[in-house]
Every structure is written in C-alpha cells, then in structure tokens.
Amino acid sequence: MTRPSRTRHFLRDDDLSPTELIEVLDLADVMKAKRYAHQPLAGPRSVAVIFDRPSTRTRVSFANGIAELGGYPLIIDAQVSQLGRGESIADTARVLDRQCAAIVWRTSGQDRIEEMAAHSRVPVVNALTDSYHPCQLVADLQTVREHKGRLAGLTLTYLGDGANNMAHSYLLAGAAAGMIVRIGSPAGYAPDAEILNRAAGIAAQTGGRVEHITDPHAAVDGADVLATDTWISMGQEDETTARSAPFAPFAIDEAALAAAAGDAIVLHCLPAYRGREIAAAVIDGPSSVVWDEAENRLHAQKALLAFVLERS
C-alpha cells in the first residue's frame, strides 16, 4: 500500500471522513475483542501524552491503550515541563517528534493544538480542547453502535450547553455517522454557527440531520439516545449560579427519559453531578450505558492511534 506523504493528525471530529470514521469504529470493535493482538507501537515506541488540565478517563485510557499497543506512554504534566514555563509550542513539537511516535494533548485553545500539529512530523491527537472532544465521540459512537446495532438514522439528543466542546463534537461526528443530532440548550448557549453549518454540510452527504432546539421537551421527544455533560466546564466555575436556572429544564431526569424512545440509552462523558445535569436514577438506572462508554475510550483511542500512525 502506498502511504500518503503527509502526517495524519486528529484535531477535530471532521478530520475523519464518514468512511474513515466507520473504519476506526470497526477497528475499535476488533481491538476490544482482542485487546493485545495489535502492536503498532512495539519496541516499545513512546507516545507523549501531555496534560494542561486535570484528567481521569483520558489519562487512564491513553496510558493503558498505548501500553496495550506495545508502546510506552510518556505522561507529561505541562505545568512541570518547560511548556508550562513558556517554551514555545513549536519548539516543544520539534523536540517530541524526534523521540515519540505520536503526541496526544489535552489543552485549552484549539489554536494551541493546531500549532503543535503544524510543527510536528508525527501524528498529533486532540485529547480535549475548549472547542472539541473528538476522542470522546469515537467512544460514544462505538457505545451506541454496540447497544443499537447501527448509527445511521438514529436520533441523538444532547442536552446542556450547546456551545461547549461536547455539543460541537456531537454535531460533527453524529453527522458523519448519518445520525439525526439535536442539540437542546437555552437560546443563549447555542452551538457555534460555523460548526453547526459544517455539520449540516456533512449531514447532507450522509443522510443525517442536525438542529439546535431551545425547547427541551421537543429535543428529547422520541430520541434513541440522550446525552449530556456537566453544565460547568473547566474555567467556568464562576458561572455556576448564573447557569443553574436556564439549564435546569435541560437536565436528563426521569421525565426526559420517559419522553424519549422506550428503549433509549443514556450517555454522559463524566464526571457527572447527580441531581444537576442528570438524575441519579437515570445515570445509575437500566438505560445508562455510561460505564461502557467510559471503557470504550480505551478501545476507541487505540484504534485512532493505530489509524493515524498507519497513514503517516
């Protein structure tokens, strides 16, 4: 097979075409069934995993996943590295790409990870930015497909902050999968218009549909999948009081679940705050697939790393 000359990065959900997304999901399923059968990082080759922000699931799943791929996870706390003391992103990339097979970064601005990719000769993977959470979405879609048997044609409703990274990633990845994606949020917390338009363009090719709905009852009506996230993202802690009232109607509680399809499943990327964005009876109830979703971060990210490494 002739390999492309350019490095493949995964910086936002639409860096994978609809066809490539299914290829990665298929590989994730294979890797879940045979966890140690694929060793593209044998050597071991290292992958730099950089954290500007606190993490549980991302840290654990990438560390274990890289090891299961035969590699060595080089976990870097940015605050105790020279990157945290002002060394440029470009210089950091030039050091890491000579020693590591790939770079994974959990950071803030999307511009930061794009700069890293612009200067790296090895794949750069977005482990979370303020704009997107694409690794989470591959795991979420793997989970939905496991429980529903398909993605295309399903209605997925995300309730909460329509302007956050999870909403944006649901729009792009859900559209690529041919799903009907509803973002239910207060009017003042709508998705970024450019991202919504981009998702609509993708959906037009896959048979999906995307929409922003400000009525929480209409958003959940008949949905096959309900998803949510914390209302207060990192860095927004001072907005807790101001957000409580407008977001309260968009909680996934027993009433919201009852209005969805009878066999609806529930997603939450965690951490969860029971009694706020999701009721304890829902996240701990029979419709919740949250713990499958959390495990699938491991398998989805292994597949993503294998995919970008093979094509770089």
Side-chain angles (χ1 to χ4, degrees):
M1 180 178 68
T2 302
R3 299 182 185 276
S5 59
R6 70 184 183 91
T7 302
R8 280 300 298 264
H9 303 296
F10 185 59
L11 309 182
R12 47 185 280 171
D13 305 82
D14 53 349
D15 282 341
L16 294 178
S17 70
T19 299
E20 289 173 336
L21 173 61
I22 298 303
E23 182 179 346
V24 170
L25 289 172
D26 288 344
L27 181 57
D29 288 345
V30 171
M31 289 184 167
K32 185 171 184 176
K34 299 180 179 180
R35 286 181 57 167
Y36 307 102
H38 297 76
Q39 300 282 302
L41 292 171
R45 301 163 69 195
S46 68
V47 174
V49 189
I50 310 170
F51 291 94
D52 291 2
R53 293 177 157 185
S55 169
T56 298
R57 280 148 294 279
T58 299
R59 184 182 296 264
V60 171
S61 56
F62 267 112
N64 282 319
I66 291 162
E68 290 183 11
L69 292 174
Y72 172 74
L74 180 62
I75 307 297
I76 301 172
D77 181 348
Q79 297 311 307
V80 297
S81 73
Q82 297 299 334
L83 181 63
R85 298 182 66 245
E87 185 168 22
S88 73
I89 294 170
D91 286 355
T92 300
R94 294 182 182 110
V95 170
L96 294 177
D97 75 0
R98 289 173 178 245
Q99 301 182 55
C100 302
I103 300 168
V104 176
W105 196 8
R106 182 181 178 95
T107 186
S108 52
Q110 184 70 14
D111 59 319
R112 290 169 60 78
I113 199 161
E114 289 177 356
E115 184 176 355
M116 182 75 81
H119 293 91
S120 174
R121 297 172 299 178
V122 300
V124 175
V125 173
N126 180 355
L128 176 142
T129 63
D130 292 338
S131 299
Y132 308 100
H133 199 352
C135 289
Q136 180 69 58
L137 256 293
V138 180
D140 286 10
L141 294 181
Q142 181 183 13
T143 306
V144 172
R145 200 168 69 158
E146 282 179 343
H147 286 270
K148 293 292 186 181
R150 64 189 176 97
L151 294 171
L154 294 178
T155 296
L156 183 151
T157 293
Y158 170 85
L159 293 176
D161 185 355
N164 76 4
N165 50 13
M166 285 300 297
H168 291 158
S169 282
Y170 273 122
L171 284 166
L172 293 173
M179 304 179 81
I180 299 164
V181 181
R182 302 172 182 165
I183 303 298
S185 74
Y189 299 90
D192 181 276
E194 182 179 344
I195 296 172
L196 188 61
N197 288 336
R198 170 62 178 154
I202 296 171
Q205 302 171 18
T206 63
R209 189 171 74 248
V210 298
E211 52 190 335
H212 175 228
I213 301 174
T214 57
D215 179 349
H217 304 292
V220 300
D221 184 35
D224 300 295
V225 183
L226 297 181
T228 191
D229 185 19
T230 176
W231 297 336
I232 313 298
S233 296
M234 286 178 281
Q236 298 175 336
E237 289 79 8
D238 58 346
E239 300 177 31
T240 300
T241 301
R243 284 172 173 254
S244 294
F247 281 110
F250 292 87
I252 299 184
D253 55 17
E254 294 93 327
L257 182 58
D263 59 348
I265 59 174
V266 177
L267 301 172
H268 193 310
C269 67
L270 303 174
Y273 299 91
R274 289 165 174 81
R276 293 176 65 179
E277 76 274 3
I278 192 164
V282 174
I283 192 171
D284 299 319
S287 298
S288 173
V289 296
V290 167
W291 315 115
D292 293 341
E293 176 188 8
E295 178 195 337
N296 283 341
R297 288 289 300 277
L298 170 69
H299 313 300
Q301 288 161 184
K302 286 172 64 178
L304 280 166
L305 282 171
F307 178 88
V308 295
L309 287 166
E310 181 184 327
R311 285 159 176 77
S312 295

